[in-house]
Amino acid sequence: MLPVFGHLNPDTDAIASALVYAHLLSRQGIDAQAYRLGDLNFETPFVLQKAGVEAPPLLPVLEAGTAVALVDHNERAQSAPNLADLQVTHVVDHHKLGDLTTMQPAFLRFEPVGCTATLLLKLHREARLQVEQADAWLMLSAILSDTLHFRSPTTTPNDREAVAFLAPIAGLRDVTAYALEMFAAKSDLGDTPAAELLKMDYKVFPFGDPAAQHPVQRWGLGVIETTNPGYVFGRQAELLDAMRAARAADGLDGVLLGVVDILNETNRMLVAGEAEAAVVQQVFGAPTLDGVADLGGRISRKKQIVPALEKYFETQS
Ligand code: MN
Ligand code: MN
């Protein structure tokens, strides 16, 4: 049985793509099963309910040498803790290639599109397999989620075409209304503890000279995408405390939390301390005032935040 899973702190794409890819592989004769690497965010249960699908179980500890399939990530820091000891046989992803190595030749599908699910639709078409209704719901929801309904600069024509193709199969007439419902579900954060809010959509990135044996710096980069940024800034002091606690507990060099206003397409970033503020000033030309730096329209961690930090730290090392 081949476990299929997305990244830690899973988002809707990490869960939906694991489910859809496991199903696709099963239809192709590979005994595959979807798993998750953490708790669901507030958006994904809404999507699963619409699709009529159960959440995948938590990934158990896998024995060294177990074959696994990765979706929506490839970096060790974002994966199963013992990924280096596992045998990666399949990867479908739309992120930059990180420190992935494989023991055997592997099936790899990487394209710079807005969502892993967009690639999974391509794989269905290439295999001449009809998309089933639940898979259509999962894929179109993941694409709307990852691209913020095509607002993100990561959006490609492939993502738009995929949603247009999938909506009739899902039986969805009003994509715009559905996207707004999804974003409302995601923004309904209730009294979730600040430490959980920070880690809901959070990834650790190694930055520095790629030729160096050890990464020069490790930064934790969180994002809260919301239609209600006022709620998040109402909890600013708690969140900044949680960010400093995470930096200390996880031995990180910096922690940032982007608060993305989905509807207005802006990013006001919480900045944990003075060291981070100096880097944010250098890299983005944005001063930090009372723990907040205005990053304007830079709403994509993948396309606008991480590459700029990466470039900065490569020239620093
Ligand atoms: Mn993801
Ligand atoms: Mn994704």
Side-chain angles (χ1 to χ4, degrees):
M1 195 274 301
L2 178 71
V4 182
F5 51 87
H7 51 82
L8 290 163
N9 308 317
D11 54 16
T12 295
D13 188 25
I15 299 294
S17 287
L19 289 163
V20 172
Y21 195 34
H23 187 214
L24 175 63
L25 290 170
S26 301
R27 291 171 76 186
Q28 295 178 316
I30 295 171
D31 182 18
Q33 158 90 46
Y35 289 96
R36 63 185 161 89
L37 262 54
D39 293 335
L40 302 182
N41 65 19
F42 286 82
E43 178 186 72
T44 307
F46 171 82
V47 167
L48 293 174
Q49 202 212 335
K50 287 275 183 185
V53 176
E54 297 276 318
L58 264 180
L59 184 74
V61 177
L62 300 175
E63 263 180 59
T66 305
V68 296
L70 308 184
V71 292
D72 199 37
H73 76 296
N74 68 84
E75 302 201 33
R76 281 181 202 170
Q78 297 163 14
S79 197
N82 63 338
L83 187 75
D85 302 325
L86 304 176
Q87 190 180 165
V88 177
T89 58
H90 298 69
V91 186
V92 183
D93 191 14
H94 66 128
H95 293 88
K96 74 184 177 72
L97 193 54
D99 51 10
L100 176 74
T101 57
T102 64
M103 300 177 188
Q104 305 273 342
F107 181 93
L108 304 177
R109 183 64 175 261
F110 285 74
E111 287 187 36
V113 293
C115 183
T116 302
T118 300
L119 301 178
L120 292 176
L121 175 59
K122 291 191 182 198
L123 293 180
H124 277 82
R125 288 167 142 178
E126 289 162 16
R128 299 180 186 281
L129 283 170
Q130 285 203 338
V131 176
E132 295 183 7
Q133 187 180 19
D135 288 332
W137 264 114
L138 293 172
M139 285 190 274
L140 82 82
S141 301
I143 297 166
L144 293 172
S145 172
D146 263 14
T147 66
L148 300 175
H149 191 192
F150 312 140
R151 291 174 177 85
S152 169
T154 56
T155 308
T156 68
N158 286 185
D159 305 301
R160 294 173 184 274
E161 286 158 16
V163 169
F165 178 84
L166 291 166
I169 301 170
L172 176 63
R173 290 225 185 114
D174 191 340
V175 170
T176 300
Y178 175 63
L180 287 174
E181 272 188 273
M182 251 178 52
F183 298 146
K186 176 183 231 173
S187 306
D188 186 9
L189 301 170
D191 53 3
T192 308
E196 281 179 39
L197 289 181
L198 169 64
K199 297 280 178 91
M200 204 164 287
D201 181 355
Y202 180 85
K203 295 178 180 176
V204 172
F205 291 88
F207 291 127
D209 181 356
Q213 188 70 26
H214 300 288
V216 174
Q217 297 231 339
R218 289 170 68 242
W219 282 53
L221 304 181
V223 180
I224 298 177
E225 293 167 345
T226 179
T227 56
N228 185 9
Y231 168 87
V232 179
F233 287 105
R235 301 188 59 187
Q236 179 173 334
E238 284 172 76
L239 285 164
L240 285 167
D241 283 343
M243 291 164 70
R244 293 179 198 117
R247 181 177 55 194
D250 302 335
L252 301 171
D253 299 287
V255 176
L256 300 171
L257 177 61
V259 182
V260 171
D261 180 332
I262 298 173
L263 301 179
N264 292 305
E265 302 177 39
T266 56
N267 185 1
R268 295 180 68 217
M269 183 175 266
L270 293 178
V271 179
E274 284 178 22
E276 288 93 341
V279 172
V280 168
Q281 174 71 57
Q282 279 283 321
V283 174
F284 303 106
T288 296
L289 301 169
D290 295 329
V292 181
D294 187 345
L295 293 208
R298 297 181 187 92
I299 61 174
S300 170
R301 175 174 53 195
K302 180 194 298 139
K303 192 157 184 170
Q304 294 165 308
I305 306 296
V306 170
L309 288 169
E310 191 152 63
K311 190 171 166 217
Y312 170 78
F313 285 113
E314 271 176 26
T315 57
Q316 293 293 303
S317 55

